[in-house]
Amino acid sequence: MKITRITSHVLQYDLPSELGYSQQYYTRRTAHIVEVETDEGITGWGECFGPGNVAIANRTIVEQVIQPLVLGMNPLDRDVVWHKVYNLLRDHGQKGMPLQSLSGVDIALWDIAGKVAGLPLCQLVGGRHRDRVQAYGYGMMLKRQSTEDHVARFRDEAAMIRDMGFAATKMKVGLGPKDDVKLCAAVRDGVGDEFRFMVDANHCYTTSDAFYVGRALEELDAYWFEEPVAPEDLDGYRELRAGLKVNISGGEAEFNRWGWRQILENRGLDIAQPEVCALGGISEYLRVLALAHAHHTPVVNHVWGSAIAVATNLHLLAAMPPLPGGLFPWEPLLEFDTTDNKFRDNLLTDPLDIQGQVKANGGYVAIPEGPGLGVTPDRDFLKHYAI
């Protein structure tokens, strides 16, 4: 079997309304789907992390840089493919967009391997530790409105996400430390005292401001404080973890096993959040997961993008060993973006219907059946939304 072609499908549409987080506002939803074809008619699907113009740039890397390196190679030699591409691109970037691009190709190769073996991805990587996964719903994005309007909207939206059946919810912050504390208090008020909520700062704080917000989160009993400081600030992460009771999480902006080794040895995370569509694909994710468990650090995958990313993560979460184990082990969660996303809800010939499953099954989502990822994109849909 040989790889005959790699195609990037970059999709985009205008959102119903502008959304924002601590770094920017955006008006369009983008997804980057990778298709790997073989001479035996078996096709694999993957996804590259990266919105907007980043996805367009990554398409060039996938098709013009990675594809010539791997054409004619056996797609089942996925670790050989991974190291060939990484080693030849090492001089041009050990992190960032080259790794995002490699991630989509690698995921597609695992999809092919599952189809050849007749096994779902979760069994291919070790087996199912669980047949279903609880999901948490995130929303409460920033908009161009007053703090008071944010407070009222966040309180109502948090309650709405809870009532949709999700196991927990996550909010954005980024208005500034004092106003952000008001937003967090509103979310706690909206969901009540017993419901878990998490706070995502998207690395907008200095360490001192993160301590200010983090101490308020202790009082509000938040479950985790995500990306409080810049991903490069490993000392800041370590200081926050040592000085705060709230769980410190992060890692979505880190790449490959070498970057993750630094984070984990630094002991700055209570919860690791690797992004499989960015850090190097499934091959590298499995190595990062092993590193995290070697450092006794629980993992909750970062999930962003289309139904391909969601399906990939459902399989990986199903195959994640419990840490540390026991009668009532700590269980991972599926991250689910509750904002408008046609590329997640309408991309597949057989939709995952995550929200419907959550509502019907007490917050739980089933693992896709079928070989590989167990999902197939609708080609008419790909054509309709292609850039």
Side-chain angles (χ1 to χ4, degrees):
M1 183 183 294
K2 295 180 180 180
I3 297 171
T4 56
R5 184 165 65 174
I6 302 177
T7 305
S8 278
H9 303 274
V10 179
L11 316 177
Q12 192 165 266
Y13 72 94
D14 292 331
L15 288 165
S17 61
E18 185 180 62
L19 299 174
Y21 60 103
S22 69
Q23 302 300 316
Q24 65 175 331
Y25 298 102
Y26 57 97
T27 59
R28 292 176 175 174
R29 175 79 67 185
T30 312
H32 180 181
I33 311 300
V34 174
E35 178 183 6
V36 176
E37 298 176 70
T38 69
D39 62 348
E40 294 189 12
I42 298 176
T43 296
W45 297 94
E47 180 163 358
C48 302
F49 182 85
N53 291 335
V54 172
I56 296 173
N58 282 344
R59 175 171 62 188
T60 300
I61 299 174
V62 169
E63 294 186 344
Q64 303 300 321
V65 180
I66 296 178
Q67 180 177 221
L69 296 176
V70 304
L71 284 178
M73 294 184 69
N74 189 330
L76 299 181
D77 292 337
R78 52 194 177 275
D79 201 52
V80 178
V81 169
W82 196 99
H83 283 92
K84 178 178 182 179
V85 173
Y86 183 81
N87 289 341
L88 289 174
L89 295 183
R90 175 182 268 125
D91 291 344
H92 314 288
Q94 302 97 39
K95 300 176 185 285
M97 292 160 66
L99 268 293
Q100 292 173 349
S101 301
L102 177 55
S103 297
V105 174
D106 181 80
I107 293 168
L109 296 183
W110 278 90
D111 189 29
I112 290 171
K115 290 171 180 174
V116 170
L119 295 172
L121 174 63
C122 57
Q123 287 188 298
L124 205 62
V125 300
R128 298 181 189 224
H129 287 274
R130 54 196 64 81
D131 293 319
R132 58 181 190 164
V133 177
Q134 274 194 315
Y136 76 84
Y138 93 72
M140 293 155 283
M141 310 291 287
L142 303 184
K143 296 194 174 185
R144 300 178 198 266
Q145 57 185 191
S146 68
T147 300
E148 291 72 22
D149 288 340
H150 271 99
V151 165
R153 179 169 59 84
F154 275 35
R155 181 185 296 112
D156 293 343
E157 190 173 341
M160 180 187 70
I161 292 172
R162 177 201 61 197
D163 293 343
M164 291 169 69
F166 288 98
T169 190
K170 187 170 76 178
M171 61 180 289
K172 296 293 190 181
V173 289
L175 300 182
K178 291 186 178 180
D179 285 342
D180 287 343
V181 170
K182 294 177 183 177
L183 297 184
C184 297
V187 169
R188 170 52 78 202
D189 186 43
V191 299
D193 293 337
E194 302 303 320
F195 194 77
R196 284 188 294 181
F197 86 98
M198 295 82 84
V199 177
D200 187 358
N202 293 108
H203 51 77
C204 69
Y205 299 129
T206 63
T207 305
S208 62
D209 284 346
F211 267 111
Y212 176 88
V213 176
R215 291 187 182 106
L217 296 183
E218 291 177 344
E219 297 298 319
L220 294 168
D221 193 27
Y223 186 46
W224 76 57
F225 190 10
E226 182 171 335
E227 277 202 309
V229 294
E232 302 94 335
D233 186 9
L234 299 186
D235 290 340
Y237 270 98
R238 187 177 62 249
E239 291 164 10
L240 288 165
R241 188 187 181 206
L244 293 173
K245 296 177 183 177
V246 62
N247 289 314
I248 302 299
S249 69
E252 70 184 73
E254 191 51 83
F255 299 86
N256 68 49
R257 73 200 84 157
W258 298 284
W260 272 96
R261 180 183 65 181
Q262 288 183 297
I263 288 180
L264 293 165
E265 288 179 351
N266 186 62
R267 304 298 292 169
L269 291 178
D270 293 291
I271 298 170
Q273 295 174 298
E275 168 54 73
V276 66
C277 296
L279 63 77
I282 294 167
S283 296
E284 198 67 358
Y285 167 88
L286 294 173
R287 292 185 268 261
V288 168
L289 178 66
L291 275 175
H293 281 201
H295 288 82
H296 300 281
T297 304
V299 173
V300 177
N301 296 352
H302 179 265
V303 184
W304 180 93
S306 81
I308 299 297
V310 174
T312 301
N313 278 282
L314 280 170
H315 282 285
L316 296 176
L317 293 170
M320 185 184 295
L323 181 75
L327 288 174
F328 304 100
W330 187 95
E331 292 285 355
L333 294 165
L334 172 71
E335 178 175 11
F336 185 84
D337 176 1
T338 62
T339 64
D340 189 89
N341 189 341
K342 299 182 191 302
F343 303 142
R344 181 196 59 226
D345 298 337
N346 304 324
L347 171 68
L348 303 178
T349 55
D350 185 12
L352 294 171
D353 188 22
I354 301 297
Q355 288 167 297
Q357 291 193 62
V358 164
K359 188 67 175 177
N361 301 320
Y364 283 92
V365 180
I367 312 306
E369 300 293 338
L373 299 181
V375 296
T376 304
D378 183 327
R379 290 193 179 274
D380 290 335
F381 185 94
L382 292 175
K383 292 177 184 177
H384 181 77
Y385 288 100
I387 294 178

